[in-house]
PDB file of all heavy atoms in Angstrom:
ATOM      1  N   GLU A 224     -10.712 -15.077 -13.235  1.00 90.00           N
ATOM      2  CA  GLU A 224      -9.783 -15.624 -12.280  1.00 90.00           C
ATOM      3  C   GLU A 224      -9.331 -16.939 -12.707  1.00 90.00           C
ATOM      4  O   GLU A 224     -10.162 -17.757 -13.231  1.00 90.00           O
ATOM      5  CB  GLU A 224     -10.397 -15.592 -10.881  1.00 90.00           C
ATOM      6  CG  GLU A 224     -10.473 -14.330 -10.210  1.00 90.00           C
ATOM      7  CD  GLU A 224     -10.974 -14.382  -8.705  1.00 90.00           C
ATOM      8  OE1 GLU A 224     -11.169 -15.627  -8.338  1.00 90.00           O
ATOM      9  OE2 GLU A 224     -11.262 -13.422  -8.107  1.00 90.00           O
ATOM     10  N   GLU A 225      -8.122 -17.389 -12.361  1.00 92.00           N
ATOM     11  CA  GLU A 225      -7.553 -18.678 -12.566  1.00 92.00           C
ATOM     12  C   GLU A 225      -6.677 -19.023 -11.399  1.00 92.00           C
ATOM     13  O   GLU A 225      -6.380 -18.229 -10.652  1.00 92.00           O
ATOM     14  CB  GLU A 225      -6.727 -18.798 -13.923  1.00 92.00           C
ATOM     15  CG  GLU A 225      -7.665 -18.506 -15.148  1.00 92.00           C
ATOM     16  CD  GLU A 225      -6.800 -18.704 -16.437  1.00 92.00           C
ATOM     17  OE1 GLU A 225      -5.697 -19.252 -16.361  1.00 92.00           O
ATOM     18  OE2 GLU A 225      -7.305 -18.291 -17.539  1.00 92.00           O
ATOM     19  N   ALA A 226      -6.347 -20.255 -11.367  1.00 93.00           N
ATOM     20  CA  ALA A 226      -5.415 -20.805 -10.342  1.00 93.00           C
ATOM     21  C   ALA A 226      -4.040 -20.110 -10.393  1.00 93.00           C
ATOM     22  O   ALA A 226      -3.596 -19.804 -11.602  1.00 93.00           O
ATOM     23  CB  ALA A 226      -5.296 -22.276 -10.395  1.00 93.00           C
ATOM     24  N   LEU A 227      -3.491 -19.858  -9.296  1.00 91.00           N
ATOM     25  CA  LEU A 227      -2.142 -19.209  -9.265  1.00 91.00           C
ATOM     26  C   LEU A 227      -1.149 -20.074 -10.048  1.00 91.00           C
ATOM     27  O   LEU A 227      -0.961 -21.248  -9.791  1.00 91.00           O
ATOM     28  CB  LEU A 227      -1.641 -19.010  -7.859  1.00 91.00           C
ATOM     29  CG  LEU A 227      -0.323 -18.308  -7.692  1.00 91.00           C
ATOM     30  CD1 LEU A 227      -0.573 -16.738  -8.030  1.00 91.00           C
ATOM     31  CD2 LEU A 227       0.090 -18.325  -6.267  1.00 91.00           C
ATOM     32  N   PRO A 228      -0.490 -19.540 -11.093  1.00 94.00           N
ATOM     33  CA  PRO A 228       0.462 -20.297 -11.903  1.00 94.00           C
ATOM     34  C   PRO A 228       1.873 -20.318 -11.361  1.00 94.00           C
ATOM     35  O   PRO A 228       2.258 -19.494 -10.545  1.00 94.00           O
ATOM     36  CB  PRO A 228       0.347 -19.556 -13.296  1.00 94.00           C
ATOM     37  CG  PRO A 228       0.233 -18.120 -12.820  1.00 94.00           C
ATOM     38  CD  PRO A 228      -0.600 -18.118 -11.515  1.00 94.00           C
ATOM     39  N   THR A 229       2.681 -21.207 -11.926  1.00 96.00           N
ATOM     40  CA  THR A 229       4.136 -21.033 -11.801  1.00 96.00           C
ATOM     41  C   THR A 229       4.533 -19.935 -12.718  1.00 96.00           C
ATOM     42  O   THR A 229       3.826 -19.472 -13.597  1.00 96.00           O
ATOM     43  CB  THR A 229       4.840 -22.361 -12.152  1.00 96.00           C
ATOM     44  OG1 THR A 229       4.599 -22.622 -13.540  1.00 96.00           O
ATOM     45  CG2 THR A 229       4.378 -23.486 -11.349  1.00 96.00           C
ATOM     46  N   ALA A 230       5.810 -19.496 -12.584  1.00 97.00           N
ATOM     47  CA  ALA A 230       6.340 -18.448 -13.415  1.00 97.00           C
ATOM     48  C   ALA A 230       6.257 -18.939 -15.000  1.00 97.00           C
ATOM     49  O   ALA A 230       5.854 -18.106 -15.855  1.00 97.00           O
ATOM     50  CB  ALA A 230       7.753 -18.151 -13.165  1.00 97.00           C
ATOM     51  N   ASP A 231       6.588 -20.208 -15.235  1.00 98.00           N
ATOM     52  CA  ASP A 231       6.524 -20.671 -16.575  1.00 98.00           C
ATOM     53  C   ASP A 231       5.118 -20.743 -17.219  1.00 98.00           C
ATOM     54  O   ASP A 231       4.847 -20.452 -18.213  1.00 98.00           O
ATOM     55  CB  ASP A 231       7.269 -22.053 -16.698  1.00 98.00           C
ATOM     56  CG  ASP A 231       8.737 -22.002 -16.620  1.00 98.00           C
ATOM     57  OD1 ASP A 231       9.268 -20.855 -16.589  1.00 98.00           O
ATOM     58  OD2 ASP A 231       9.456 -22.948 -16.684  1.00 98.00           O
ATOM     59  N   GLU A 232       4.198 -21.082 -16.231  1.00 97.00           N
ATOM     60  CA  GLU A 232       2.790 -21.152 -16.695  1.00 97.00           C
ATOM     61  C   GLU A 232       2.273 -19.754 -16.940  1.00 97.00           C
ATOM     62  O   GLU A 232       1.449 -19.593 -17.919  1.00 97.00           O
ATOM     63  CB  GLU A 232       1.964 -21.839 -15.541  1.00 97.00           C
ATOM     64  CG  GLU A 232       2.238 -23.389 -15.471  1.00 97.00           C
ATOM     65  CD  GLU A 232       1.609 -23.919 -14.242  1.00 97.00           C
ATOM     66  OE1 GLU A 232       1.142 -23.124 -13.319  1.00 97.00           O
ATOM     67  OE2 GLU A 232       1.514 -25.195 -14.132  1.00 97.00           O
ATOM     68  N   ALA A 233       2.654 -18.764 -16.148  1.00 97.00           N
ATOM     69  CA  ALA A 233       2.238 -17.375 -16.391  1.00 97.00           C
ATOM     70  C   ALA A 233       2.747 -16.962 -17.780  1.00 97.00           C
ATOM     71  O   ALA A 233       2.063 -16.275 -18.542  1.00 97.00           O
ATOM     72  CB  ALA A 233       2.769 -16.555 -15.321  1.00 97.00           C
ATOM     73  N   ALA A 234       4.058 -17.287 -17.947  1.00 98.00           N
ATOM     74  CA  ALA A 234       4.639 -16.868 -19.287  1.00 98.00           C
ATOM     75  C   ALA A 234       3.914 -17.484 -20.496  1.00 98.00           C
ATOM     76  O   ALA A 234       3.620 -16.805 -21.456  1.00 98.00           O
ATOM     77  CB  ALA A 234       6.146 -17.269 -19.350  1.00 98.00           C
ATOM     78  N   ARG A 235       3.556 -18.745 -20.327  1.00 98.00           N
ATOM     79  CA  ARG A 235       2.833 -19.414 -21.432  1.00 98.00           C
ATOM     80  C   ARG A 235       1.440 -18.792 -21.648  1.00 98.00           C
ATOM     81  O   ARG A 235       1.041 -18.596 -22.702  1.00 98.00           O
ATOM     82  CB  ARG A 235       2.696 -20.952 -21.120  1.00 98.00           C
ATOM     83  CG  ARG A 235       2.091 -21.747 -22.266  1.00 98.00           C
ATOM     84  CD  ARG A 235       2.129 -23.236 -21.989  1.00 98.00           C
ATOM     85  NE  ARG A 235       3.493 -23.678 -21.930  1.00 98.00           N
ATOM     86  CZ  ARG A 235       4.162 -23.942 -23.005  1.00 98.00           C
ATOM     87  NH1 ARG A 235       3.702 -23.803 -24.229  1.00 98.00           N
ATOM     88  NH2 ARG A 235       5.498 -24.444 -22.805  1.00 98.00           N
ATOM     89  N   LEU A 236       0.695 -18.448 -20.546  1.00 97.00           N
ATOM     90  CA  LEU A 236      -0.569 -17.838 -20.676  1.00 97.00           C
ATOM     91  C   LEU A 236      -0.427 -16.538 -21.443  1.00 97.00           C
ATOM     92  O   LEU A 236      -1.222 -16.209 -22.417  1.00 97.00           O
ATOM     93  CB  LEU A 236      -1.191 -17.568 -19.280  1.00 97.00           C
ATOM     94  CG  LEU A 236      -2.427 -16.788 -19.302  1.00 97.00           C
ATOM     95  CD1 LEU A 236      -3.513 -17.486 -20.012  1.00 97.00           C
ATOM     96  CD2 LEU A 236      -2.933 -16.445 -17.823  1.00 97.00           C
ATOM     97  N   LEU A 237       0.583 -15.721 -21.064  1.00 98.00           N
ATOM     98  CA  LEU A 237       0.756 -14.405 -21.737  1.00 98.00           C
ATOM     99  C   LEU A 237       1.101 -14.516 -23.199  1.00 98.00           C
ATOM    100  O   LEU A 237       0.430 -13.875 -24.041  1.00 98.00           O
ATOM    101  CB  LEU A 237       1.798 -13.605 -21.003  1.00 98.00           C
ATOM    102  CG  LEU A 237       1.563 -13.198 -19.545  1.00 98.00           C
ATOM    103  CD1 LEU A 237       2.784 -12.621 -18.863  1.00 98.00           C
ATOM    104  CD2 LEU A 237       0.380 -12.223 -19.457  1.00 98.00           C
ATOM    105  N   VAL A 238       2.005 -15.387 -23.500  1.00 98.00           N
ATOM    106  CA  VAL A 238       2.456 -15.510 -24.841  1.00 98.00           C
ATOM    107  C   VAL A 238       1.412 -16.169 -25.717  1.00 98.00           C
ATOM    108  O   VAL A 238       1.010 -15.629 -26.783  1.00 98.00           O
ATOM    109  CB  VAL A 238       3.768 -16.380 -24.921  1.00 98.00           C
ATOM    110  CG1 VAL A 238       4.077 -16.777 -26.446  1.00 98.00           C
ATOM    111  CG2 VAL A 238       4.873 -15.654 -24.299  1.00 98.00           C
ATOM    112  N   ASP A 239       0.750 -17.265 -25.203  1.00 98.00           N
ATOM    113  CA  ASP A 239      -0.266 -17.940 -26.023  1.00 98.00           C
ATOM    114  C   ASP A 239      -1.392 -17.013 -26.350  1.00 98.00           C
ATOM    115  O   ASP A 239      -2.019 -16.986 -27.435  1.00 98.00           O
ATOM    116  CB  ASP A 239      -0.760 -19.147 -25.348  1.00 98.00           C
ATOM    117  CG  ASP A 239       0.274 -20.339 -25.326  1.00 98.00           C
ATOM    118  OD1 ASP A 239       1.334 -20.171 -25.975  1.00 98.00           O
ATOM    119  OD2 ASP A 239       0.013 -21.331 -24.615  1.00 98.00           O
ATOM    120  N   THR A 240      -1.793 -16.191 -25.379  1.00 97.00           N
ATOM    121  CA  THR A 240      -2.971 -15.284 -25.515  1.00 97.00           C
ATOM    122  C   THR A 240      -2.603 -14.253 -26.626  1.00 97.00           C
ATOM    123  O   THR A 240      -3.473 -14.018 -27.448  1.00 97.00           O
ATOM    124  CB  THR A 240      -3.268 -14.571 -24.227  1.00 97.00           C
ATOM    125  OG1 THR A 240      -3.578 -15.535 -23.230  1.00 97.00           O
ATOM    126  CG2 THR A 240      -4.514 -13.667 -24.397  1.00 97.00           C
ATOM    127  N   LEU A 241      -1.455 -13.695 -26.564  1.00 98.00           N
ATOM    128  CA  LEU A 241      -1.073 -12.652 -27.553  1.00 98.00           C
ATOM    129  C   LEU A 241      -0.955 -13.276 -28.981  1.00 98.00           C
ATOM    130  O   LEU A 241      -1.202 -12.646 -29.960  1.00 98.00           O
ATOM    131  CB  LEU A 241       0.138 -11.857 -27.090  1.00 98.00           C
ATOM    132  CG  LEU A 241      -0.164 -11.015 -25.905  1.00 98.00           C
ATOM    133  CD1 LEU A 241       1.288 -10.246 -25.576  1.00 98.00           C
ATOM    134  CD2 LEU A 241      -1.196  -9.954 -26.125  1.00 98.00           C
ATOM    135  N   LEU A 242      -0.391 -14.440 -29.009  1.00 97.00           N
ATOM    136  CA  LEU A 242      -0.125 -15.046 -30.341  1.00 97.00           C
ATOM    137  C   LEU A 242      -1.437 -15.466 -31.045  1.00 97.00           C
ATOM    138  O   LEU A 242      -1.458 -15.753 -32.218  1.00 97.00           O
ATOM    139  CB  LEU A 242       0.755 -16.269 -30.231  1.00 97.00           C
ATOM    140  CG  LEU A 242       2.265 -15.924 -29.850  1.00 97.00           C
ATOM    141  CD1 LEU A 242       3.139 -17.195 -29.912  1.00 97.00           C
ATOM    142  CD2 LEU A 242       2.784 -14.916 -30.843  1.00 97.00           C
ATOM    143  N   LYS A 243      -2.525 -15.587 -30.278  1.00 96.00           N
ATOM    144  CA  LYS A 243      -3.801 -15.928 -30.848  1.00 96.00           C
ATOM    145  C   LYS A 243      -4.364 -14.698 -31.686  1.00 96.00           C
ATOM    146  O   LYS A 243      -5.349 -14.962 -32.362  1.00 96.00           O
ATOM    147  CB  LYS A 243      -4.844 -16.344 -29.768  1.00 96.00           C
ATOM    148  CG  LYS A 243      -4.495 -17.664 -29.171  1.00 96.00           C
ATOM    149  CD  LYS A 243      -5.531 -18.007 -28.053  1.00 96.00           C
ATOM    150  CE  LYS A 243      -5.138 -19.378 -27.342  1.00 96.00           C
ATOM    151  NZ  LYS A 243      -6.042 -19.600 -26.164  1.00 96.00           N
ATOM    152  N   GLU A 244      -3.879 -13.516 -31.342  1.00 95.00           N
ATOM    153  CA  GLU A 244      -4.416 -12.325 -32.121  1.00 95.00           C
ATOM    154  C   GLU A 244      -3.284 -11.563 -32.753  1.00 95.00           C
ATOM    155  O   GLU A 244      -2.644 -10.730 -32.066  1.00 95.00           O
ATOM    156  CB  GLU A 244      -5.266 -11.490 -31.165  1.00 95.00           C
ATOM    157  CG  GLU A 244      -5.913 -10.460 -32.042  1.00 95.00           C
ATOM    158  CD  GLU A 244      -6.661  -9.299 -31.132  1.00 95.00           C
ATOM    159  OE1 GLU A 244      -7.248  -9.634 -30.159  1.00 95.00           O
ATOM    160  OE2 GLU A 244      -6.432  -8.151 -31.453  1.00 95.00           O
ATOM    161  N   LEU A 245      -3.051 -11.817 -33.950  1.00 95.00           N
ATOM    162  CA  LEU A 245      -1.995 -11.067 -34.715  1.00 95.00           C
ATOM    163  C   LEU A 245      -2.579  -9.953 -35.558  1.00 95.00           C
ATOM    164  O   LEU A 245      -3.817 -10.041 -35.863  1.00 95.00           O
ATOM    165  CB  LEU A 245      -1.252 -12.035 -35.620  1.00 95.00           C
ATOM    166  CG  LEU A 245      -0.576 -13.241 -34.895  1.00 95.00           C
ATOM    167  CD1 LEU A 245       0.026 -14.174 -35.999  1.00 95.00           C
ATOM    168  CD2 LEU A 245       0.458 -12.788 -33.931  1.00 95.00           C
ATOM    169  N   PRO A 246      -1.807  -8.957 -35.891  1.00 94.00           N
ATOM    170  CA  PRO A 246      -2.373  -7.911 -36.776  1.00 94.00           C
ATOM    171  C   PRO A 246      -2.759  -8.515 -38.088  1.00 94.00           C
ATOM    172  O   PRO A 246      -2.285  -9.598 -38.437  1.00 94.00           O
ATOM    173  CB  PRO A 246      -1.086  -7.013 -36.961  1.00 94.00           C
ATOM    174  CG  PRO A 246      -0.332  -7.158 -35.704  1.00 94.00           C
ATOM    175  CD  PRO A 246      -0.464  -8.600 -35.421  1.00 94.00           C
ATOM    176  N   GLU A 247      -3.637  -7.853 -38.748  1.00 90.00           N
ATOM    177  CA  GLU A 247      -4.224  -8.360 -39.963  1.00 90.00           C
ATOM    178  C   GLU A 247      -3.242  -8.634 -40.976  1.00 90.00           C
ATOM    179  O   GLU A 247      -3.355  -9.612 -41.821  1.00 90.00           O
ATOM    180  CB  GLU A 247      -5.266  -7.406 -40.535  1.00 90.00           C
ATOM    181  CG  GLU A 247      -6.502  -7.376 -39.713  1.00 90.00           C
ATOM    182  CD  GLU A 247      -7.553  -6.373 -40.261  1.00 90.00           C
ATOM    183  OE1 GLU A 247      -7.290  -5.794 -41.396  1.00 90.00           O
ATOM    184  OE2 GLU A 247      -8.696  -6.184 -39.684  1.00 90.00           O
ATOM    185  N   ASP A 248      -2.139  -7.892 -41.103  1.00 90.00           N
ATOM    186  CA  ASP A 248      -1.118  -8.049 -42.113  1.00 90.00           C
ATOM    187  C   ASP A 248       0.023  -8.954 -41.632  1.00 90.00           C
ATOM    188  O   ASP A 248       1.133  -9.055 -42.341  1.00 90.00           O
ATOM    189  CB  ASP A 248      -0.625  -6.711 -42.658  1.00 90.00           C
ATOM    190  CG  ASP A 248      -0.066  -5.879 -41.456  1.00 90.00           C
ATOM    191  OD1 ASP A 248      -0.178  -6.239 -40.344  1.00 90.00           O
ATOM    192  OD2 ASP A 248       0.596  -4.894 -41.769  1.00 90.00           O
ATOM    193  N   VAL A 249      -0.135  -9.704 -40.553  1.00 92.00           N
ATOM    194  CA  VAL A 249       0.801 -10.643 -40.065  1.00 92.00           C
ATOM    195  C   VAL A 249       0.225 -11.979 -40.213  1.00 92.00           C
ATOM    196  O   VAL A 249      -0.712 -12.328 -39.424  1.00 92.00           O
ATOM    197  CB  VAL A 249       1.297 -10.336 -38.696  1.00 92.00           C
ATOM    198  CG1 VAL A 249       2.195 -11.437 -38.186  1.00 92.00           C
ATOM    199  CG2 VAL A 249       1.962  -8.959 -38.601  1.00 92.00           C
ATOM    200  N   ALA A 250       0.688 -12.852 -41.144  1.00 89.00           N
ATOM    201  CA  ALA A 250       0.170 -14.165 -41.428  1.00 89.00           C
ATOM    202  C   ALA A 250       0.395 -15.070 -40.288  1.00 89.00           C
ATOM    203  O   ALA A 250      -0.512 -15.970 -39.943  1.00 89.00           O
ATOM    204  CB  ALA A 250       0.637 -14.678 -42.697  1.00 89.00           C
ATOM    205  N   GLY A 251       1.490 -15.056 -39.677  1.00 92.00           N
ATOM    206  CA  GLY A 251       1.738 -15.979 -38.560  1.00 92.00           C
ATOM    207  C   GLY A 251       3.027 -15.451 -37.820  1.00 92.00           C
ATOM    208  O   GLY A 251       3.798 -14.683 -38.376  1.00 92.00           O
ATOM    209  N   PRO A 252       3.319 -15.938 -36.643  1.00 95.00           N
ATOM    210  CA  PRO A 252       4.464 -15.512 -35.908  1.00 95.00           C
ATOM    211  C   PRO A 252       5.821 -15.822 -36.453  1.00 95.00           C
ATOM    212  O   PRO A 252       6.779 -15.138 -36.277  1.00 95.00           O
ATOM    213  CB  PRO A 252       4.311 -16.040 -34.516  1.00 95.00           C
ATOM    214  CG  PRO A 252       3.418 -17.282 -34.747  1.00 95.00           C
ATOM    215  CD  PRO A 252       2.537 -16.947 -35.879  1.00 95.00           C
ATOM    216  N   ALA A 253       5.928 -16.967 -37.188  1.00 95.00           N
ATOM    217  CA  ALA A 253       7.185 -17.389 -37.677  1.00 95.00           C
ATOM    218  C   ALA A 253       7.814 -16.453 -38.632  1.00 95.00           C
ATOM    219  O   ALA A 253       7.078 -15.963 -39.587  1.00 95.00           O
ATOM    220  CB  ALA A 253       6.982 -18.811 -38.388  1.00 95.00           C
ATOM    221  N   GLY A 254       9.042 -16.094 -38.442  1.00 94.00           N
ATOM    222  CA  GLY A 254       9.734 -15.137 -39.258  1.00 94.00           C
ATOM    223  C   GLY A 254       9.436 -13.620 -38.943  1.00 94.00           C
ATOM    224  O   GLY A 254      10.024 -12.854 -39.608  1.00 94.00           O
ATOM    225  N   GLN A 255       8.630 -13.425 -37.949  1.00 97.00           N
ATOM    226  CA  GLN A 255       8.286 -12.073 -37.674  1.00 97.00           C
ATOM    227  C   GLN A 255       9.227 -11.507 -36.578  1.00 97.00           C
ATOM    228  O   GLN A 255       9.864 -12.170 -35.788  1.00 97.00           O
ATOM    229  CB  GLN A 255       6.833 -11.939 -37.148  1.00 97.00           C
ATOM    230  CG  GLN A 255       5.830 -12.373 -38.188  1.00 97.00           C
ATOM    231  CD  GLN A 255       5.825 -11.479 -39.371  1.00 97.00           C
ATOM    232  OE1 GLN A 255       5.966 -10.292 -39.237  1.00 97.00           O
ATOM    233  NE2 GLN A 255       5.505 -12.104 -40.497  1.00 97.00           N
ATOM    234  N   ARG A 256       9.341 -10.161 -36.543  1.00 98.00           N
ATOM    235  CA  ARG A 256      10.103  -9.476 -35.493  1.00 98.00           C
ATOM    236  C   ARG A 256       9.108  -8.694 -34.576  1.00 98.00           C
ATOM    237  O   ARG A 256       8.116  -8.217 -35.005  1.00 98.00           O
ATOM    238  CB  ARG A 256      11.105  -8.401 -36.132  1.00 98.00           C
ATOM    239  CG  ARG A 256      12.225  -9.094 -36.942  1.00 98.00           C
ATOM    240  CD  ARG A 256      12.827  -8.067 -37.872  1.00 98.00           C
ATOM    241  NE  ARG A 256      11.888  -7.702 -39.027  1.00 98.00           N
ATOM    242  CZ  ARG A 256      12.052  -6.649 -39.777  1.00 98.00           C
ATOM    243  NH1 ARG A 256      13.074  -5.899 -39.572  1.00 98.00           N
ATOM    244  NH2 ARG A 256      11.236  -6.365 -40.738  1.00 98.00           N
ATOM    245  N   ALA A 257       9.543  -8.625 -33.304  1.00 98.00           N
ATOM    246  CA  ALA A 257       8.619  -8.024 -32.299  1.00 98.00           C
ATOM    247  C   ALA A 257       9.424  -7.307 -31.304  1.00 98.00           C
ATOM    248  O   ALA A 257      10.476  -7.876 -30.800  1.00 98.00           O
ATOM    249  CB  ALA A 257       7.713  -8.965 -31.672  1.00 98.00           C
ATOM    250  N   ALA A 258       8.983  -6.107 -30.935  1.00 98.00           N
ATOM    251  CA  ALA A 258       9.439  -5.399 -29.679  1.00 98.00           C
ATOM    252  C   ALA A 258       8.589  -6.009 -28.572  1.00 98.00           C
ATOM    253  O   ALA A 258       7.422  -6.151 -28.633  1.00 98.00           O
ATOM    254  CB  ALA A 258       9.217  -3.956 -29.799  1.00 98.00           C
ATOM    255  N   VAL A 259       9.366  -6.466 -27.571  1.00 98.00           N
ATOM    256  CA  VAL A 259       8.711  -7.176 -26.502  1.00 98.00           C
ATOM    257  C   VAL A 259       8.927  -6.410 -25.157  1.00 98.00           C
ATOM    258  O   VAL A 259      10.042  -6.018 -24.781  1.00 98.00           O
ATOM    259  CB  VAL A 259       9.341  -8.631 -26.255  1.00 98.00           C
ATOM    260  CG1 VAL A 259       8.667  -9.368 -25.171  1.00 98.00           C
ATOM    261  CG2 VAL A 259       9.088  -9.400 -27.678  1.00 98.00           C
TER     262      VAL A 259
END
Side-chain angles (χ1 to χ4, degrees):
E224 285 183 5
E225 294 185 12
L227 187 67
T229 64
D231 285 0
E232 290 169 344
R235 185 173 296 278
L236 172 63
L237 294 171
V238 171
D239 287 352
T240 301
L241 289 180
L242 291 185
K243 289 177 183 176
E244 188 190 314
L245 301 175
E247 291 182 359
D248 56 351
V249 175
Q255 300 294 328
R256 292 163 289 167
V259 179

